Amino acid sequence: MNFIRAFCIALAWLPVAALAHQYQLKSLSIDHPFTRATPPGAKSGGAFFVVQNASPTSDKLIGAASPAAGSAEIHQMAMDGGMMKMRAVTAVDIPSGGKLELKPGGYHLMLLDLKQPLKVGDKVPLTLTFQNAGTILVSVEVEAMGSMGPATHKQ
């Protein structure tokens, strides 16, 4: 009887756990990696997520790769002379006890030379490389065009 009760409680929590969509790599927590659906023929897309660093030392996101794209680059969107410009960067700091937000309009990963369009509901494998913590494979959920992340995503 206790087994059945425990099983039912676990099932009740399953949807909550699925919404979390988090990954752990040593002291780094990667929260809800997502990308947006792309129109047919699009050759690039962005990937977004939040990295929390619980370590007493800083770390850096230094690279990414995905079999869904020819390459992946870290990019930054910033105002320059009154115009929004995008540029590639080699690394992004994740402060000790702080977080790095990769989001539309800021730092993000560009998936270049997409092998096929990104469709809502698909999942894209993405390997993230950090200077100190190492590498981790995450699953990036494809959300609707223009998505800013799920409403349940709290930061």
Side-chain angles (χ1 to χ4, degrees), residues 22-112:
Q22 290 184 326
Y23 299 87
Q24 193 71 36
L25 176 64
K26 297 182 181 176
S27 63
L28 301 179
S29 175
I30 297 104
D31 187 27
H32 191 76
F34 77 97
T35 186
R36 297 169 168 166
T38 56
K43 290 295 179 189
S44 64
F48 315 99
F49 49 91
V50 175
V51 182
Q52 303 250 6
N53 184 0
S55 172
T57 59
S58 64
D59 206 335
K60 289 183 181 187
L61 175 63
I62 59 172
S66 175
S71 65
E73 297 178 353
I74 306 166
H75 281 207
Q76 178 186 28
M77 297 285 293
M79 293 300 287
D80 182 12
M83 292 186 62
M84 184 66 87
K85 293 191 177 182
M86 182 170 58
R87 66 182 178 96
V89 296
T90 57
V92 185
D93 289 324
I94 310 161
S96 166
K99 67 181 176 180
L100 165 65
E101 294 183 67
L102 284 87
K103 60 185 180 181
Y107 285 110
H108 59 280
L109 289 179
M110 284 299 297
L111 302 173
L112 304 170

Side-chain angles (χ1 to χ4, degrees), residues 102-136:
L102 284 87
K103 60 185 180 181
Y107 285 110
H108 59 280
L109 289 179
M110 284 299 297
L111 302 173
L112 304 170
D113 192 25
L114 290 172
K115 310 248 189 248
Q116 62 188 26
L118 302 174
K119 297 178 187 156
V120 173
D122 286 351
K123 294 183 184 199
V124 177
L126 180 66
T127 301
L128 302 173
T129 304
F130 298 92
Q131 184 176 43
N132 299 324
T135 61
I136 186 170

